[in-house]
Amino acid sequence: MTKYVAAIDQGTTSTRCMVFDHSGHVVSVDQTEHEQIFPRAGWVEHDPREVWTNTRQVAAGALAKADLTTEDIAAVGITNQRETAVVWDRTTGEPVYNAIVWQDTRTDRICRDLADLGGGQERYRDRTGLPLATYFSGPKVRWVLDNVEGARARAEAGDLLFGNMDTWLLWNLTGGVDGGVHVTDPTNASRTLLMNLDTLSWDAEIAADMGVPMSMLPEIRSSSEVYGHVRERSALASVPIAGILGDQQAATFGQACLSPGEAKNTYGTGNFVLLNTGTDKVMSENGLLTTVCYQIGASAPVYALEGSIAVTGSLVQWLRDNLGILGTAGEVERYARSVEDNGGAYFVPAFSGLYAPHWRSDARGAIVGLTRFVNKGHLSRAVLEATAFQTREVIDAMNADSGVALTSLKVDGGMVVNELLMQFQADILDVPVIRPVVNETTALGAAYAAGLAVGFWASEDDIRQNWAQDKQWEPTMDAETRDRLYHFWKKAVSRTLNWVE
């Protein structure tokens, strides 16, 4: 009898394979980082071939660390950085260009040109739930076809395929040029600006506007079903691939936010707050995204409101790698604790513009309030506080859209080990912040989706029963201090706008 389910978690900075048991506990993990490519300001790329190589390595590594074989694995799920776009040749399997990452801003002109066709930034929101923004995949495909020599002719001849990273990995895992399955799920498709939220199908009119041939687009299947089996030349040979969830939806699923009104916040490269709205598609009036949360088999899709924040954990990396202030990312909390407050300094990390709830591609990062008093401890604290302030903006918008004030916040992701950040988050929101025992819930959510499809878990009740609290932070800040800090944050945000002309 198979005892475990595996998940491939293809993230912005690394790829890992995690193996879980029936109780949702981690049995083994193997992880490898990939190169971050910055050809010019505002451009962010990954090499899809490197990611595919790393995927094979971490799958083998995770099995080896727990001394497992394929016979021990009931199914494998995939979760991924969502809006990162890959275009490749269906005959050779070779990408025609690097993957263009979700943070990339090169498609700003394409988005503005589409907005000028009528309707502005909201042109497609009623159908897709999304504003026209550089964040999403569809305009990235348009850029590749317009800028890679011969790509458009090859695409129109039916020779090129497109997918987010889930589709790229699924296609390769199931054989690539030798019978690879070209499929995605609604959570990923809903991040392209090309899928109709009501029908869960590609919108031919939007694809035509965007200049993306329909032949490039993967088939949209549910988030939990068997799509195919891993090719024989693999550590996971013959194991069914049975779940796909975009990373933030996977974290929502892994956090057992399975009922309307339940929300989670993932602290990773960026921050992503998702609120389950059930089978009701709630359209935001306050700068949030309407997205598919998950679809299990033949069941009706479940929707979510999402607040996407581009730069949180990656700001700590920036402090380490670009400024050299930190030796390791983990030092940020020690430096931040060396001072009593931020010393009047605020850091707005609008490196890729501002995402929710502002959606301002003209914004750029700024550190404001500097005096000779400010040292690296204050800057470290300002970096952590920026994560909490941006989350507050999104939660305020979510409360306004839903009409129900959030009473607590489930958190997960790499940054939730930072206890100073978690306490400040509770303080600035004035609600309890709750961390689960398994805080890497992204991979767990993908494992749940795959395990449900093959009967490893009987129902969503098993997921609810597996969830367990590790720690809870209660707000301790007085209202006057909270309001004063947030006032200056909003003032700092205003200084970043209209920078790009």
Side-chain angles (χ1 to χ4, degrees), residues 102-165:
W102 56 274
Q103 302 155 312
D104 191 286
T105 60
R106 77 185 70 187
T107 58
D108 187 50
R109 168 58 65 185
I110 291 171
C111 292
R112 281 185 279 137
D113 288 346
L114 288 167
D116 289 344
L117 295 176
Q121 197 175 32
E122 305 299 294
R123 177 175 174 81
Y124 303 120
R125 187 185 283 274
D126 62 335
R127 283 180 276 176
T128 67
L130 312 175
L132 266 169
T134 60
Y135 183 24
F136 306 110
S137 310
K140 296 179 174 70
V141 182
R142 165 75 172 270
W143 187 94
V144 170
L145 299 186
D146 286 349
N147 289 277
V148 175
E149 185 176 356
R152 179 161 295 284
R154 291 164 68 189
E156 291 175 352
D159 295 333
L160 299 186
L161 300 176
F162 151 71
N164 292 345
M165 295 304 286

Side-chain angles (χ1 to χ4, degrees), residues 248-249 251-265 272-278 293-294 302-306 395 398 402 404-411 434 460 463-464 467:
Q248 303 313 318
Q249 288 93 334
T252 307
F253 208 66
Q255 280 273 41
C257 295
L258 305 175
S259 300
E262 295 182 323
K264 68 87 199 176
N265 190 20
F272 303 87
V273 187
L274 266 75
L275 172 71
N276 183 324
T277 63
C293 195
Y294 54 87
V302 171
Y303 295 95
L305 280 172
E306 175 175 335
I395 295 295
M398 202 162 271
S402 67
V404 179
L406 195 73
T407 56
S408 65
L409 184 66
K410 288 182 176 180
V411 299
I434 303 168
E460 293 174 17
I463 298 172
R464 291 185 177 94
W467 189 91

Side-chain angles (χ1 to χ4, degrees), residues 88-351:
W88 70 96
D89 189 297
R90 69 165 73 236
T91 304
T92 66
E94 287 296 310
V96 304
Y97 190 80
N98 277 339
I100 302 180
V101 178
W102 56 274
Q103 302 155 312
D104 191 286
T105 60
R106 77 185 70 187
T107 58
D108 187 50
R109 168 58 65 185
I110 291 171
C111 292
R112 281 185 279 137
D113 288 346
L114 288 167
D116 289 344
L117 295 176
Q121 197 175 32
E122 305 299 294
R123 177 175 174 81
Y124 303 120
R125 187 185 283 274
D126 62 335
R127 283 180 276 176
T128 67
L130 312 175
L132 266 169
T134 60
Y135 183 24
F136 306 110
S137 310
K140 296 179 174 70
V141 182
R142 165 75 172 270
W143 187 94
V144 170
L145 299 186
D146 286 349
N147 289 277
V148 175
E149 185 176 356
R152 179 161 295 284
R154 291 164 68 189
E156 291 175 352
D159 295 333
L160 299 186
L161 300 176
F162 151 71
N164 292 345
M165 295 304 286
D166 65 307
T167 301
W168 166 248
L169 291 184
L170 177 65
W171 188 80
N172 280 292
L173 283 165
T174 53
V177 296
D178 186 20
V181 176
H182 189 222
V183 162
T184 191
D185 89 304
T187 68
N188 275 283
S190 68
R191 315 300 292 198
T192 61
L193 265 173
L194 296 168
M195 190 194 83
N196 184 297
L197 275 180
D198 293 312
T199 64
L200 304 192
S201 60
W202 301 116
D203 189 301
E205 183 182 351
I206 299 177
D209 281 357
M210 220 163 279
V212 177
M214 296 285 283
S215 61
M216 297 180 69
L217 304 178
E219 179 186 358
I220 301 172
R221 306 256 292 271
S222 83
S223 307
S224 178
E225 62 178 87
V226 176
Y227 314 107
H229 292 75
V230 179
R231 65 187 193 140
E232 289 303 315
R233 293 171 61 87
S234 172
L236 292 167
S238 301
V239 174
I241 304 174
I244 298 174
L245 286 165
D247 52 9
Q248 303 313 318
Q249 288 93 334
T252 307
F253 208 66
Q255 280 273 41
C257 295
L258 305 175
S259 300
E262 295 182 323
K264 68 87 199 176
N265 190 20
T266 296
Y267 296 72
T269 301
N271 267 36
F272 303 87
V273 187
L274 266 75
L275 172 71
N276 183 324
T277 63
T279 54
D280 293 330
K281 183 186 68 171
V282 177
M283 304 304 287
S284 176
E285 297 180 0
N286 294 280
L288 302 180
L289 309 178
T290 305
T291 195
V292 177
C293 195
Y294 54 87
Q295 183 190 24
I296 303 304
S299 300
V302 171
Y303 295 95
L305 280 172
E306 175 175 335
S308 309
I309 303 166
V311 178
T312 55
S314 57
L315 182 57
V316 178
Q317 293 175 323
W318 184 87
L319 205 65
R320 179 194 67 191
D321 299 339
N322 291 47
L323 296 191
I325 288 177
L326 307 175
T328 66
E331 290 179 356
V332 70
E333 184 173 8
R334 176 164 62 87
Y335 285 131
R337 286 188 182 277
S338 70
V339 293
E340 291 184 2
D341 54 33
N342 62 18
Y346 290 78
F347 197 150
V348 185
F351 296 157

